[in-house]
Amino acid sequence: MKLWTNSRAATAIEYSLIAALMAIAAITGMQSLGAKVSSTFQNVSSGLEP
């Protein structure tokens, strides 16, 4: 008995799950990087004030 009659649908679901995990990882990484960059610009900005 075949559980998956359409292997293309199973492959599409697998690829969409991988893409979703990659998107979550990218968003998390960008948020932490954004906080660090913001802190760096804040330090530069306060160092430039007369």
Side-chain angles (χ1 to χ4, degrees), residues 33-50:
L33 180 65
K36 291 178 184 177
V37 170
S38 176
S39 174
T40 301
F41 279 124
Q42 196 72 313
N43 291 338
V44 170
S45 175
S46 64
L48 292 176
E49 292 178 358

Side-chain angles (χ1 to χ4, degrees), residues 10-45:
T11 303
I13 291 170
E14 291 169 353
Y15 281 129
S16 64
L17 289 173
I18 291 169
L21 289 173
M22 289 174 65
I24 290 170
I27 289 169
T28 303
M30 288 178 196
Q31 283 179 340
S32 82
L33 180 65
K36 291 178 184 177
V37 170
S38 176
S39 174
T40 301
F41 279 124
Q42 196 72 313
N43 291 338
V44 170
S45 175

